[in-house]
Amino acid sequence: MQNCTRVSLFALVLAYSAAAAAAAAAAAQTGDGVRESVREQVLVAQKNAQISSAARLDSYLAVIPVDSPLTLLSVDGLEQFLTSLSFNENGLVGYSTEAIASELSYSQAHRLLSLFGAERTLRLMPGLRVENEVDLDIHRSYVQSGELVEDHMGYRCVARATCRESTEFVCMSGC
């Protein structure tokens, strides 16, 4: 009878270990699945942004709205920002942060980057001003969020799937 109890206990421990291992594997797959789902959402946002290519940028600039967030940048800042933009089939994949970080608040930068589906990169940009509650809310929601997408500050998209070191640039997912 004692052997039967040991065997039952051993079987129970084995079953529990197998269930725990299966649960851990499922959790890891779920985490990877969430990360992949977020990455897909990011790429969809980039591809379908108001400005997702050089041609769409040209069209936008031809009839730039008076309330466009691009008008928040100085003339020099706007030129510097526009000449830094990198596009591919995934939309915007890189840009310089220099003018944005030195001239805009969080809410202004959010409006500007939203044109390109790139607002998530705010978390990579130090130096943005906090001028009001909206700025503070945006700062909290982006800067303090976890990294589920691979965007890289200090790198520039130079070719498909190739980021190279470059100060003041962001190389985005989809490069």
Side-chain angles (χ1 to χ4, degrees), residues 124-146:
L124 302 172
M125 208 175 307
L128 292 170
R129 297 186 313 267
V130 175
E131 297 176 342
N132 54 43
E133 286 297 316
V134 174
D135 290 332
L136 191 56
D137 288 344
I138 291 170
H139 170 73
R140 285 183 187 136
S141 67
Y142 284 94
V143 174
Q144 296 173 1
S145 65

Side-chain angles (χ1 to χ4, degrees), residues 57-117:
L57 174 62
D58 290 342
S59 296
Y60 183 88
L61 293 174
V63 290
I64 190 166
V66 292
D67 64 341
S68 171
L70 291 176
T71 63
L72 298 170
L73 291 170
S74 67
V75 172
D76 289 340
L78 179 60
E79 181 180 352
Q80 187 273 329
F81 175 70
L82 293 176
T83 58
S84 78
L85 299 176
S86 298
F87 295 96
N88 71 14
E89 68 278 1
N90 291 316
L92 181 70
V93 292
Y95 66 93
S96 171
T97 62
E98 188 175 0
I100 296 170
S102 66
E103 297 183 20
L104 303 180
S105 69
Y106 274 97
S107 58
Q108 292 168 329
H110 184 271
R111 284 185 53 220
L112 187 145
L113 293 172
S114 294
L115 290 172
F116 302 90

Side-chain angles (χ1 to χ4, degrees), residues 39 42-43 45-47 49 51 81 85-88 90-97 113 116-125 149-164 169-175:
R39 187 175 193 293
V42 162
L43 291 176
Q46 281 174 220
K47 287 179 186 179
I51 302 173
F81 175 70
L85 299 176
S86 298
F87 295 96
N88 71 14
N90 291 316
L92 181 70
V93 292
Y95 66 93
S96 171
T97 62
L113 293 172
F116 302 90
E119 60 274 14
R120 73 179 182 283
T121 62
L122 284 170
R123 68 181 170 71
L124 302 172
M125 208 175 307
V149 178
E150 294 181 13
D151 297 317
H152 308 285
M153 182 65 190
Y155 289 85
R156 182 178 192 161
C157 182
V158 294
R160 181 79 178 110
T162 307
C163 297
R164 290 228 172 92
F169 273 79
V170 173
C171 186
M172 297 167 51
S173 280
C175 171

